[in-house]
Amino acid sequence: MHLCRRDAAGAFLPPSSGGRRGFTLIEVITVTVIIGILAAATLPLAHNAFQRQKEIELRRSLRLLRTAIDDYKKFVEENKIEVDEDTYGYPEDLEVLVKGVEYKDKKNKTRLMKFLRRIPMDPLNGSLEWGLRSYQDKLGSRNWGGQNV
């Protein structure tokens, strides 16, 4: 015969488990292993997401640099500034895009044209140094000739 207990209000209480409470060692180890497996499975996904974010930022920075270089070349092609023929109308380095170039407007007034506010940081290596290529560099070359950007 099963004896049921009642609380102070008269409601039935569930039968006790003989005073034993908590988890067994096997249950704790099993849960720990499962959590470890799940954590190990998510680490590569988190790394890939972090790397993807860096690559998106790299594309954004490269697009900004490319636009500034193209704007500089267009400025040269419109004969607003004089450059050496050896540069093919490209800037000599990235600092030229930040410092700007002086030119004469239609009213013969000297103005300063800047193409970048600052050189963007390379998100993959965390520096302001970019691997540069020159228009005159050979196709497979890894070294920058230094003639232009």
Side-chain angles (χ1 to χ4, degrees), residues 81-115:
I81 56 174
E82 296 289 326
V83 295
D84 294 334
E85 286 186 23
D86 295 341
T87 63
Y88 292 94
Y90 292 104
E92 294 175 13
D93 58 18
L94 295 178
E95 286 296 322
V96 172
L97 301 172
V98 175
K99 292 178 183 175
V101 292
E102 290 186 352
Y103 72 99
K104 302 269 185 187
D105 64 1
K106 292 181 181 179
K107 297 179 183 176
N108 208 19
K109 189 174 180 182
T110 303
R111 299 204 177 259
L112 181 67
M113 177 65 165
K114 292 185 176 187
F115 301 94

Short mmCIF file of all heavy atoms in Angstrom, two decimals, residues 81-115:
data_model
loop_
_atom_site.label_atom_id
_atom_site.label_comp_id
_atom_site.label_asym_id
_atom_site.label_seq_id
_atom_site.Cartn_x
_atom_site.Cartn_y
_atom_site.Cartn_z
N ILE A 81 45.81 67.84 -64.61
CA ILE A 81 47.14 67.85 -63.98
C ILE A 81 48.14 67.26 -64.96
O ILE A 81 47.81 66.45 -65.81
CB ILE A 81 47.16 67.08 -62.65
CG1 ILE A 81 46.66 65.64 -62.83
CG2 ILE A 81 46.37 67.78 -61.59
CD1 ILE A 81 46.79 64.77 -61.59
N GLU A 82 49.39 67.68 -64.80
CA GLU A 82 50.48 67.17 -65.62
C GLU A 82 51.20 66.06 -64.87
O GLU A 82 51.50 66.20 -63.68
CB GLU A 82 51.47 68.30 -65.94
CG GLU A 82 50.87 69.41 -66.77
CD GLU A 82 50.62 68.99 -68.21
OE1 GLU A 82 51.42 68.18 -68.74
OE2 GLU A 82 49.63 69.45 -68.78
N VAL A 83 51.47 64.95 -65.54
CA VAL A 83 52.22 63.84 -64.95
C VAL A 83 53.23 63.35 -65.96
O VAL A 83 53.15 63.65 -67.16
CB VAL A 83 51.28 62.68 -64.52
CG1 VAL A 83 50.36 63.10 -63.42
CG2 VAL A 83 50.50 62.15 -65.70
N ASP A 84 54.21 62.59 -65.46
CA ASP A 84 55.19 61.98 -66.35
C ASP A 84 54.53 60.93 -67.22
O ASP A 84 53.62 60.23 -66.77
CB ASP A 84 56.31 61.31 -65.54
CG ASP A 84 57.15 62.32 -64.77
OD1 ASP A 84 57.22 63.48 -65.21
OD2 ASP A 84 57.72 61.94 -63.73
N GLU A 85 55.01 60.81 -68.44
CA GLU A 85 54.44 59.78 -69.33
C GLU A 85 54.76 58.38 -68.85
O GLU A 85 54.05 57.44 -69.16
CB GLU A 85 54.97 59.99 -70.76
CG GLU A 85 54.34 61.17 -71.46
CD GLU A 85 54.77 61.24 -72.91
OE1 GLU A 85 55.17 60.21 -73.48
OE2 GLU A 85 54.69 62.34 -73.46
N ASP A 86 55.83 58.25 -68.06
CA ASP A 86 56.24 56.94 -67.56
C ASP A 86 55.20 56.35 -66.61
O ASP A 86 55.15 55.14 -66.42
CB ASP A 86 57.57 57.04 -66.82
CG ASP A 86 58.70 57.42 -67.75
OD1 ASP A 86 58.55 57.26 -68.97
OD2 ASP A 86 59.76 57.88 -67.24
N THR A 87 54.35 57.18 -66.01
CA THR A 87 53.37 56.67 -65.05
C THR A 87 52.08 56.22 -65.72
O THR A 87 51.23 55.62 -65.07
CB THR A 87 53.02 57.75 -64.01
OG1 THR A 87 52.41 58.85 -64.68
CG2 THR A 87 54.25 58.21 -63.26
N TYR A 88 51.90 56.51 -66.99
CA TYR A 88 50.69 56.16 -67.73
C TYR A 88 49.43 56.76 -67.11
O TYR A 88 48.33 56.22 -67.26
CB TYR A 88 50.53 54.64 -67.86
CG TYR A 88 51.58 53.99 -68.72
CD1 TYR A 88 52.72 53.46 -68.16
CD2 TYR A 88 51.42 53.92 -70.10
CE1 TYR A 88 53.68 52.87 -68.95
CE2 TYR A 88 52.39 53.33 -70.90
CZ TYR A 88 53.51 52.80 -70.32
OH TYR A 88 54.47 52.22 -71.10
N GLY A 89 49.60 57.85 -66.37
CA GLY A 89 48.45 58.52 -65.77
C GLY A 89 48.00 57.95 -64.44
O GLY A 89 46.97 58.37 -63.92
N TYR A 90 48.76 57.03 -63.89
CA TYR A 90 48.42 56.46 -62.58
C TYR A 90 49.25 57.16 -61.50
O TYR A 90 50.34 57.67 -61.77
CB TYR A 90 48.69 54.95 -62.55
CG TYR A 90 47.75 54.17 -63.43
CD1 TYR A 90 48.15 53.67 -64.65
CD2 TYR A 90 46.44 53.95 -63.03
CE1 TYR A 90 47.28 52.95 -65.46
CE2 TYR A 90 45.56 53.24 -63.82
CZ TYR A 90 45.98 52.75 -65.04
OH TYR A 90 45.11 52.06 -65.83
N PRO A 91 48.77 57.18 -60.26
CA PRO A 91 49.55 57.84 -59.19
C PRO A 91 50.83 57.08 -58.89
O PRO A 91 50.92 55.87 -59.08
CB PRO A 91 48.60 57.81 -57.99
CG PRO A 91 47.63 56.73 -58.28
CD PRO A 91 47.50 56.66 -59.76
N GLU A 92 51.84 57.84 -58.43
CA GLU A 92 53.14 57.22 -58.13
C GLU A 92 53.07 56.33 -56.89
O GLU A 92 53.79 55.34 -56.80
CB GLU A 92 54.20 58.30 -57.95
CG GLU A 92 54.46 59.06 -59.24
CD GLU A 92 55.43 60.22 -59.03
OE1 GLU A 92 56.08 60.27 -57.97
OE2 GLU A 92 55.53 61.04 -59.93
N ASP A 93 52.24 56.70 -55.93
CA ASP A 93 52.03 55.88 -54.74
C ASP A 93 50.66 56.23 -54.15
O ASP A 93 49.97 57.12 -54.64
CB ASP A 93 53.15 56.05 -53.71
CG ASP A 93 53.32 57.49 -53.26
OD1 ASP A 93 52.41 58.30 -53.46
OD2 ASP A 93 54.39 57.79 -52.70
N LEU A 94 50.27 55.52 -53.12
CA LEU A 94 48.95 55.74 -52.53
C LEU A 94 48.87 57.06 -51.75
O LEU A 94 47.78 57.62 -51.61
CB LEU A 94 48.58 54.57 -51.61
CG LEU A 94 48.41 53.22 -52.29
CD1 LEU A 94 48.09 52.15 -51.26
CD2 LEU A 94 47.33 53.28 -53.34
N GLU A 95 50.00 57.56 -51.28
CA GLU A 95 50.01 58.82 -50.54
C GLU A 95 49.54 59.99 -51.41
O GLU A 95 48.96 60.95 -50.91
CB GLU A 95 51.39 59.11 -49.97
CG GLU A 95 51.75 58.26 -48.79
CD GLU A 95 50.86 58.52 -47.58
OE1 GLU A 95 50.49 59.69 -47.34
OE2 GLU A 95 50.53 57.55 -46.89
N VAL A 96 49.79 59.92 -52.70
CA VAL A 96 49.35 60.99 -53.62
C VAL A 96 47.83 61.11 -53.58
O VAL A 96 47.28 62.21 -53.64
CB VAL A 96 49.84 60.70 -55.06
CG1 VAL A 96 49.24 61.67 -56.06
CG2 VAL A 96 51.35 60.74 -55.12
N LEU A 97 47.16 59.98 -53.44
CA LEU A 97 45.70 59.99 -53.40
C LEU A 97 45.18 60.66 -52.13
O LEU A 97 44.10 61.26 -52.13
CB LEU A 97 45.15 58.57 -53.49
CG LEU A 97 45.54 57.79 -54.76
CD1 LEU A 97 45.10 56.34 -54.63
CD2 LEU A 97 44.95 58.44 -55.98
N VAL A 98 45.94 60.57 -51.03
CA VAL A 98 45.53 61.16 -49.76
C VAL A 98 45.93 62.63 -49.70
O VAL A 98 45.13 63.49 -49.33
CB VAL A 98 46.16 60.39 -48.57
CG1 VAL A 98 45.83 61.06 -47.26
CG2 VAL A 98 45.67 58.95 -48.58
N LYS A 99 47.17 62.94 -50.08
CA LYS A 99 47.65 64.33 -50.03
C LYS A 99 46.94 65.20 -51.06
O LYS A 99 46.72 66.38 -50.83
CB LYS A 99 49.15 64.37 -50.28
CG LYS A 99 49.97 63.76 -49.16
CD LYS A 99 51.43 63.78 -49.49
CE LYS A 99 52.24 63.11 -48.41
NZ LYS A 99 53.65 63.01 -48.78
N GLY A 100 46.58 64.63 -52.20
CA GLY A 100 45.90 65.37 -53.24
C GLY A 100 46.87 66.00 -54.23
O GLY A 100 48.08 65.99 -54.04
N VAL A 101 46.30 66.55 -55.28
CA VAL A 101 47.09 67.21 -56.32
C VAL A 101 46.48 68.59 -56.58
O VAL A 101 45.28 68.79 -56.50
CB VAL A 101 47.12 66.39 -57.64
CG1 VAL A 101 47.89 65.11 -57.46
CG2 VAL A 101 45.73 66.08 -58.13
N GLU A 102 47.36 69.54 -56.87
CA GLU A 102 46.89 70.89 -57.20
C GLU A 102 46.60 70.97 -58.69
O GLU A 102 47.32 70.39 -59.51
CB GLU A 102 47.94 71.92 -56.81
CG GLU A 102 48.09 72.06 -55.32
CD GLU A 102 49.03 73.20 -54.93
OE1 GLU A 102 49.68 73.78 -55.83
OE2 GLU A 102 49.11 73.49 -53.74
N TYR A 103 45.56 71.70 -59.03
CA TYR A 103 45.19 71.89 -60.43
C TYR A 103 44.56 73.26 -60.59
O TYR A 103 44.18 73.92 -59.62
CB TYR A 103 44.25 70.78 -60.90
CG TYR A 103 42.85 70.89 -60.34
CD1 TYR A 103 41.82 71.44 -61.10
CD2 TYR A 103 42.55 70.44 -59.06
CE1 TYR A 103 40.54 71.55 -60.60
CE2 TYR A 103 41.27 70.55 -58.55
CZ TYR A 103 40.27 71.10 -59.32
OH TYR A 103 39.00 71.22 -58.81
N LYS A 104 44.45 73.70 -61.81
CA LYS A 104 43.81 74.99 -62.12
C LYS A 104 42.41 74.72 -62.63
O LYS A 104 42.21 73.92 -63.54
CB LYS A 104 44.60 75.74 -63.19
CG LYS A 104 46.04 76.02 -62.86
CD LYS A 104 46.16 77.33 -62.19
CE LYS A 104 47.65 77.62 -62.00
NZ LYS A 104 47.90 78.76 -61.23
N ASP A 105 41.44 75.41 -62.04
CA ASP A 105 40.06 75.23 -62.49
C ASP A 105 39.80 76.13 -63.71
O ASP A 105 40.71 76.76 -64.25
CB ASP A 105 39.08 75.51 -61.36
CG ASP A 105 39.11 76.94 -60.87
OD1 ASP A 105 39.88 77.75 -61.42
OD2 ASP A 105 38.36 77.25 -59.93
N LYS A 106 38.57 76.19 -64.16
CA LYS A 106 38.22 76.95 -65.37
C LYS A 106 38.48 78.44 -65.21
O LYS A 106 38.73 79.14 -66.17
CB LYS A 106 36.75 76.73 -65.72
CG LYS A 106 36.47 75.31 -66.17
CD LYS A 106 35.02 75.11 -66.51
CE LYS A 106 34.80 73.66 -66.93
NZ LYS A 106 33.41 73.41 -67.26
N LYS A 107 38.45 78.94 -63.97
CA LYS A 107 38.71 80.35 -63.70
C LYS A 107 40.19 80.59 -63.40
O LYS A 107 40.55 81.65 -62.91
CB LYS A 107 37.86 80.82 -62.52
CG LYS A 107 36.37 80.73 -62.80
CD LYS A 107 35.59 81.17 -61.59
CE LYS A 107 34.10 81.00 -61.88
NZ LYS A 107 33.29 81.32 -60.71
N ASN A 108 41.02 79.61 -63.70
CA ASN A 108 42.46 79.66 -63.49
C ASN A 108 42.83 79.84 -62.02
O ASN A 108 43.84 80.43 -61.69
CB ASN A 108 43.10 80.76 -64.34
CG ASN A 108 44.54 80.42 -64.68
OD1 ASN A 108 44.95 79.28 -64.60
ND2 ASN A 108 45.30 81.43 -65.06
N LYS A 109 41.98 79.33 -61.15
CA LYS A 109 42.22 79.38 -59.71
C LYS A 109 42.81 78.04 -59.27
O LYS A 109 42.33 76.99 -59.68
CB LYS A 109 40.90 79.66 -58.98
CG LYS A 109 41.06 79.93 -57.53
CD LYS A 109 39.73 80.33 -56.92
CE LYS A 109 39.89 80.62 -55.45
NZ LYS A 109 38.62 80.96 -54.81
N THR A 110 43.84 78.08 -58.45
CA THR A 110 44.49 76.85 -57.99
C THR A 110 43.64 76.18 -56.93
O THR A 110 43.21 76.80 -55.96
CB THR A 110 45.89 77.16 -57.42
OG1 THR A 110 46.66 77.82 -58.42
CG2 THR A 110 46.58 75.88 -56.99
N ARG A 111 43.41 74.89 -57.13
CA ARG A 111 42.60 74.10 -56.20
C ARG A 111 43.35 72.81 -55.85
O ARG A 111 44.27 72.41 -56.55
CB ARG A 111 41.25 73.76 -56.80
CG ARG A 111 40.43 74.98 -57.14
CD ARG A 111 38.98 74.59 -57.16
NE ARG A 111 38.14 75.74 -57.42
CZ ARG A 111 37.48 76.40 -56.47
NH1 ARG A 111 37.56 76.02 -55.23
NH2 ARG A 111 36.74 77.44 -56.77
N LEU A 112 42.91 72.18 -54.79
CA LEU A 112 43.49 70.91 -54.36
C LEU A 112 42.43 69.82 -54.49
O LEU A 112 41.34 69.95 -53.94
CB LEU A 112 43.98 71.00 -52.92
CG LEU A 112 44.64 69.74 -52.35
CD1 LEU A 112 45.96 69.46 -53.07
CD2 LEU A 112 44.87 69.87 -50.87
N MET A 113 42.75 68.76 -55.21
CA MET A 113 41.83 67.64 -55.38
C MET A 113 42.39 66.44 -54.63
O MET A 113 43.49 65.98 -54.90
CB MET A 113 41.66 67.31 -56.86
CG MET A 113 40.78 66.13 -57.12
SD MET A 113 39.11 66.50 -56.60
CE MET A 113 38.22 65.22 -57.40
N LYS A 114 41.62 65.95 -53.63
CA LYS A 114 42.00 64.75 -52.88
C LYS A 114 41.10 63.60 -53.33
O LYS A 114 39.92 63.80 -53.56
CB LYS A 114 41.85 64.98 -51.39
CG LYS A 114 42.83 65.98 -50.83
CD LYS A 114 42.71 66.07 -49.34
CE LYS A 114 43.77 66.99 -48.78
NZ LYS A 114 43.79 66.98 -47.32
N PHE A 115 41.68 62.42 -53.40
CA PHE A 115 40.93 61.26 -53.89
C PHE A 115 40.58 60.27 -52.77
O PHE A 115 39.69 59.45 -52.94
CB PHE A 115 41.73 60.56 -54.99
CG PHE A 115 42.03 61.47 -56.14
CD1 PHE A 115 43.22 62.18 -56.21
CD2 PHE A 115 41.09 61.66 -57.15
CE1 PHE A 115 43.48 63.03 -57.27
CE2 PHE A 115 41.34 62.51 -58.19
CZ PHE A 115 42.55 63.20 -58.26
#
